[in-house]
Amino acid sequence: MWGDIAIEFLLAFVTTFVFTPYSIRLAMKIGAIDVPRDERRMHKKDMPKLGGLAVIIGFIIASVYLIFVKIIQNELDLFTSEGYGYKLLGVALGILILSIVCFFDDKQKDIKPLTKLAGQSVAAIIVICFGIKIDFINLPFLAQNVLLDNVISNIVTFCWIVGITNAINLIDGLDGLSTGISIISCLSLLIIFSLNASPLIAIVLVTALLGALVGFLPYNFNPAKTFIGEMGTNFIGFTISIISILGVAKTATAFVVVLPIIVLGLPILDTVFAIIRRLIKGKSLKAVVQADKGHLHHKLVEKGYSPKDAVLVLYGISVSFGMFAIILFESGIWKALSFALMLLAVIAIGYREIKTRGKQ
């Protein structure tokens, strides 16, 4: 199996790497350019922002390839009781609708935040209607899974998909930041899915996304040649949220359901803090969709870190979340807590040096 997985990863990587220059040319041709018109933007020059199209193409080509290979090898049946073929159709429709909305946003059609939220909501509802749901919530310390009522299941799934979609979108503020954190999250999920014997379809999809993102990162890391754009960040968040549901579906292993939350801890926390911050500052729900300079990457740059160093710091935090989740699943809560305490001790010891470097 792992030989096929390696081929899929390479196919996604090469496809995205080859198609990204074409996405740059297309962005220049149709005017999908990010112009630094306000101080919130961290870049200083006009930047094409249609890189998400190359990532989507790489993901689709690699996924379709391995799905067909596994069907031919009789290792995957899309028409079993799990109905993965039907579910994948819903995922494809959701991606299509979300990509169309975000494509016009990238073309600077001044799409309002609520319009984009409507597109995300429609995509999430389609996925739910096609049978992808969070059926239970895990209570790890009680080693017990609580089955959810159908209505509650739909609400929880909707909030998860829309929430993670926006979390990846909101953290996209520096060259390579959302791409790199998504790579770390996908790699962590792939390891967890492998250890947990998760459904093959989840491994196929997360590998394709991982390969596509790695293929795009050379163009997006500081100094970036292109941005992934709204189409890209929304696609990544939407797809990761769905993959995480598929990867833990029907399993009764303690901790498994909460692991994707830990893996995506950095963008989730950044989003939660952003919502609270904007509510307090704006004193209205409308303020939640108003962009600001209060995200973690903004704070690091304000402390004196260069954009590249700020990205590397956040990479490190994301890796720590991923490692904590893997250790939690593989070795239990006490080893995971030991890892967290040792990590905090190292940070405490080196805090003065880190702070001094940030001021340089």
Side-chain angles (χ1 to χ4, degrees):
M1 177 182 108
W2 289 108
D4 292 331
I5 294 296
I7 293 172
E8 181 195 25
F9 173 87
L10 186 61
L11 179 59
F13 169 84
V14 172
T15 302
T16 303
F17 188 83
V18 169
F19 271 89
T20 299
Y22 292 99
S23 74
I24 294 175
R25 296 174 196 171
L26 178 61
M28 301 294 287
K29 184 176 181 179
I30 66 175
I33 307 296
D34 194 314
V35 180
R37 290 174 291 192
D38 55 61
E39 62 177 12
R40 186 178 61 84
R41 286 173 167 80
M42 307 301 290
H43 60 289
K44 304 301 181 183
K45 63 179 182 179
D46 295 358
M47 190 71 65
K49 56 175 183 176
L50 213 57
L53 181 61
V55 173
I56 294 173
I57 292 173
F59 169 80
I60 291 175
I61 290 177
S63 297
V64 170
Y65 160 78
L66 193 57
I67 287 173
F68 273 110
V69 167
K70 291 303 179 183
I71 289 174
I72 293 172
Q73 294 175 343
N74 293 321
E75 296 180 17
L76 180 63
D77 188 349
L78 298 181
F79 305 101
T80 60
S81 58
E82 296 295 337
Y84 287 124
Y86 187 66
K87 291 177 180 178
L88 287 176
L89 178 59
V91 174
L93 290 174
I95 290 173
L96 178 61
I97 290 174
L98 191 57
S99 297
I100 291 173
V101 173
C102 293
F103 174 79
F104 285 104
D105 195 9
D106 283 333
K107 280 193 65 179
Q108 297 181 326
K109 294 298 182 181
D110 296 324
I111 290 180
K112 296 180 179 179
L114 290 179
T115 302
K116 188 166 60 178
L117 178 61
Q120 295 169 347
S121 300
V122 171
I125 291 171
I126 289 174
V127 168
I128 293 170
C129 290
F130 276 77
I132 296 178
K133 298 181 182 181
I134 299 173
D135 294 320
F136 59 88
I137 293 179
N138 183 259
L139 301 177
F141 294 101
L142 299 179
Q144 181 179 354
N145 294 312
V146 178
L147 291 175
L148 298 178
D149 175 83
N150 187 55
V151 174
I152 296 177
S153 174
N154 291 339
I155 294 173
V156 170
T157 305
F158 176 85
C159 292
W160 172 255
I161 294 174
V162 174
I164 297 302
T165 301
N166 280 286
I168 299 299
N169 180 250
L170 289 174
I171 207 167
D172 182 42
L174 294 174
D175 293 354
L177 182 55
S178 64
T179 304
I181 288 177
S182 298
I183 287 172
I184 295 166
S185 299
C186 286
L187 181 58
S188 300
L189 288 175
L190 177 59
I191 294 172
I192 291 169
F193 292 167
S194 302
L195 294 173
N196 188 48
S198 291
L200 178 59
I201 193 66
I203 295 176
V204 169
L205 295 179
V206 78
T207 302
L209 183 57
L210 176 61
L213 291 171
V214 173
F216 178 71
L217 186 60
Y219 297 98
N220 188 229
F221 194 72
N222 188 288
K225 300 179 180 65
T226 182
F227 289 164
I228 198 164
E230 293 290 326
M231 185 192 298
T233 55
N234 278 265
F235 163 74
I236 294 169
F238 182 76
T239 307
I240 288 179
S241 68
I242 292 169
I243 290 172
S244 63
I245 295 173
L246 293 174
V248 301
K250 308 303 180 183
T251 182
T253 306
F255 296 113
V256 170
V257 175
V258 299
L259 293 182
I261 299 175
I262 299 173
V263 168
L264 296 163
L266 179 59
I268 288 174
L269 288 175
D270 188 54
T271 301
V272 171
F273 291 150
I275 293 173
I276 295 173
R277 181 179 65 249
R278 294 173 184 179
L279 283 174
I280 293 174
K281 185 177 180 180
K283 298 180 180 180
S284 70
L285 290 174
K286 187 177 180 180
V288 173
V289 298
Q290 300 299 320
D292 60 15
K293 290 190 66 176
H295 292 286
L296 293 174
H297 52 274
H298 289 128
K299 295 299 183 182
L300 286 172
V301 173
E302 287 177 6
K303 290 290 185 180
Y305 285 87
S306 69
K308 181 182 290 186
D309 285 344
V311 167
L312 293 176
V313 169
L314 293 174
Y315 280 1
I317 295 173
S318 187
V319 168
S320 300
F321 274 111
M323 291 182 65
F324 181 85
I326 293 168
I327 295 171
L328 177 63
F329 173 72
E330 179 67 10
S331 303
I333 183 65
W334 297 115
K335 285 190 177 180
L337 289 177
S338 298
F339 165 77
L341 289 174
M342 287 189 292
L343 188 63
L344 290 174
V346 171
I347 293 174
I349 293 171
Y351 176 74
R352 183 174 298 177
E353 177 64 24
I354 295 172
K355 188 176 181 181
T356 300
R357 185 183 176 190
K359 293 180 178 180
Q360 292 177 349

